[in-house]
Amino acid sequence: MGQQHWKKIWVGSAGNMVEWFDWFVYATFATYFAGAFFPSGDATAQLMNTAGIFAVGFFMRPVGGWLLGRVGDRRGRKAALTLTVTLMSASAILIAVAPTYAVAGYGGAVVLLVARLLQGLSVGGEYAASATYLTEASDPGKRGFASSFQYVSMTVGQIIGLGLQILLQRTMSDAALHSYGWRIPFVVGALGAAVVFYLRRTMLESEVYEEDTSGAEERGTLRALWQHKREAFLVMALTMGGTVAYYTYTTYLTKYLSNSAGLSKETATLVSFTALIVFAALQPLAGRLSDRIGRRPLLITFAVGSTFLTVPIMTLLKHAGSYWPALGLSLLALVVVTGYTSINACVKAELFPTGVRALGVALPYALANALFGGTAEYVALWFKNAGVESGFYWYVAGCAAVSLVVYLTMRETKDLDLTRVEPRAESTLTPAS
């Protein structure tokens, strides 16, 4: 892979890292600011309120997927990526200065809600623009490896957030963290976004996009996407199980370990931090493996593992009791999830032609995330509040089982030529031979 390709991947990944730092920092610090925006009472109820606002951000992602996917297809991947990081910076600033319930009543929660809506718009377009850019910017035989850096950067963003949380836990009192310390990561996120804005303004456009000769009036339109409706439904179905599992073992894991398993917040954070470092390192290895053996074997391995291992892993995690057992189980879960995360970006991008690729990935993926990924944490807390927490384990396993059916029947996409994807690639949905 040439130096210029590495530069494109680095710039795209750096922006993605900051985007997802801001996105996930809301979840990782929720245990500290949940009481700041809502009346005092049951801790689980306060977490449900903040998780509800977290989920609302996901419901803006389809809107962001449509708007920014359209920008990405009509004006270029660079334009979409620059716009997404601008929106994310604005949302981080809003959260950093939002007034508490004691100061402004529910006014602070409204500011928090507006910020999450902006984040939803931004990330709704970021995923597709980043997935499309990283896939198009790589050599044809290394698309799995190159696109795996999307989840590397996403995970590194979360690792930085968790690392900052550990640092603040070590240097600030618990009272100070609950009072004002939780605002610090949002200030850091806004500053990081400003740096990435400059990087993306000077980034190179993907050659695949620049060489596209499809009609400009059809690029990024819903009419053009409708010609690929079967591929769009495929994106939704293959995302379903992966996104639920991913959010369960990343954003929700820290709260699950502290709120259900009884570990201290510090220990729970350290478990997540360590597990995610290993998880990030696995992504390029799995992506490179998919370039050799194909995408379907990894997807099928993930779905089988998630379907049959989720219930025992989550049950054992609840009774882990200390750092090492919790870390071992978390790593096992994330190794399984790697079969999805390492390659899902390129699989989706490989299904669509250049003129509708960003929108084709963005909108159906964002819809699936709104329905399943964004609600995962809220569903988990709902089951816990209802006294049947194990119901959530079966829910995660069931979503994986649905995606397994899709993986078993979809066609391999590893060797498709991105510049020659046909307008109606019906064969992408035919059973594998």
Side-chain angles (χ1 to χ4, degrees):
M1 189 175 291
Q3 183 177 354
Q4 197 169 84
H5 282 116
W6 276 113
K7 181 179 179 181
K8 291 179 180 179
I9 290 171
W10 155 243
V11 174
S13 297
N16 205 34
M17 177 184 68
V18 174
E19 288 268 5
W20 289 92
F21 168 87
D22 287 336
W23 179 260
F24 281 122
V25 104
Y26 179 98
T28 57
F29 278 83
T31 53
Y32 290 104
F33 67 74
F37 295 103
F38 301 98
S40 59
D42 179 65
T44 300
Q46 289 179 336
L47 282 174
M48 285 184 71
N49 284 327
T50 53
I53 292 179
F54 183 78
V56 165
F58 276 84
F59 284 98
M60 285 302 289
R61 288 175 69 163
V63 180
W66 168 62
L67 287 173
L68 295 166
R70 181 180 173 88
V71 171
D73 285 327
R74 296 183 75 85
R75 298 187 178 273
R77 319 310 188 201
K78 175 182 173 180
L81 287 168
T82 304
L83 182 54
T84 59
V85 78
T86 303
L87 292 172
M88 186 61 76
S89 179
S91 66
I93 292 171
L94 280 177
I95 297 176
V97 301
T100 63
Y101 181 82
V103 173
Y106 283 106
V110 172
V111 173
L112 193 65
L113 177 62
V114 171
R116 288 298 294 175
L117 293 177
L118 285 177
Q119 284 189 337
L121 280 173
S122 175
V123 177
E126 169 67 25
Y127 173 88
S130 176
T132 301
Y133 185 81
L134 289 173
T135 301
E136 291 179 346
S138 62
D139 294 331
K142 298 180 180 178
R143 292 199 299 254
F145 174 76
S147 65
S148 71
F149 282 90
Q150 182 178 50
Y151 269 82
V152 172
S153 57
M154 286 171 62
T155 306
V156 169
Q158 189 174 3
I159 289 170
I160 293 173
L162 286 169
L164 182 57
Q165 186 172 9
I166 291 171
L167 176 65
L168 294 177
Q169 287 171 341
R170 298 288 190 273
T171 57
M172 299 180 69
S173 67
D174 193 63
L177 275 172
H178 281 84
S179 175
Y180 66 90
W182 59 265
R183 297 182 187 273
I184 294 173
F186 296 103
V187 175
V188 172
L191 294 174
V195 173
V196 173
F197 176 82
Y198 170 76
L199 291 174
R200 286 189 165 176
R201 289 284 293 175
T202 59
M203 72 191 295
L204 300 172
E205 185 60 83
S206 81
E207 293 178 4
V208 172
Y209 178 81
E210 289 183 327
E211 294 172 1
D212 180 46
T213 58
S214 61
E217 68 282 354
E218 288 293 315
R219 285 185 179 182
T221 63
L222 291 175
R223 181 172 59 254
L225 179 60
W226 186 249
Q227 296 176 16
H228 306 273
K229 54 183 177 294
R230 296 184 68 184
E231 287 77 16
F233 283 116
L234 174 61
V235 169
M236 290 186 66
L238 68 87
T239 299
M240 178 182 177
T243 190
V244 171
Y246 176 74
Y247 281 99
T248 296
Y249 294 120
T250 56
T251 60
Y252 180 60
L253 180 65
T254 305
K255 284 189 280 295
Y256 179 72
L257 291 175
S258 62
N259 203 29
S260 296
L263 274 64
S264 67
K265 289 179 182 177
E266 291 77 12
T267 301
T269 302
L270 190 59
V271 168
S272 293
F273 180 77
T274 310
L276 286 172
I277 290 176
V278 178
F279 178 67
L282 288 174
Q283 303 308 300
L285 299 177
R288 191 71 187 96
L289 179 63
S290 80
D291 287 327
R292 294 180 179 274
I293 68 174
R295 321 298 189 211
R296 290 179 68 250
L298 272 71
L299 291 172
I300 291 170
T301 299
F302 151 71
V304 170
S306 191
T307 299
F308 294 103
L309 294 179
T310 294
V311 174
I313 287 175
M314 294 295 286
T315 302
L316 290 171
L317 269 175
K318 188 172 183 178
H319 300 93
S322 61
Y323 172 80
W324 288 108
L327 177 61
L329 290 165
S330 300
L331 285 174
L332 174 60
L334 288 172
V335 167
V336 171
V337 174
T338 294
Y340 166 81
T341 55
S342 60
I343 58 170
N344 81 95
C346 66
V347 170
K348 294 163 189 172
E350 287 166 344
L351 294 174
F352 298 93
T354 303
V356 75
R357 185 169 291 131
L359 181 61
V361 175
L363 187 55
Y365 171 80
L367 286 169
N369 260 273
L371 293 172
F372 302 105
T375 58
E377 183 179 330
Y378 192 84
V379 170
L381 292 170
W382 182 88
F383 274 112
K384 176 179 175 57
N385 209 40
V388 285
E389 190 166 28
S390 62
F392 177 67
Y393 315 158
W394 291 99
Y395 169 76
V396 177
C399 290
V402 172
S403 287
L404 175 59
V405 175
V406 177
Y407 302 153
L408 289 171
T409 56
M410 69 180 286
R411 178 193 163 183
E412 179 58 60
T413 62
K414 174 175 76 76
D415 296 320
L416 291 179
D417 185 346
L418 294 184
T419 64
R420 296 178 181 273
V421 177
E422 294 299 323
R424 288 193 59 80
E426 302 287 346
S427 60
T428 56
L429 292 175
T430 57
S433 56

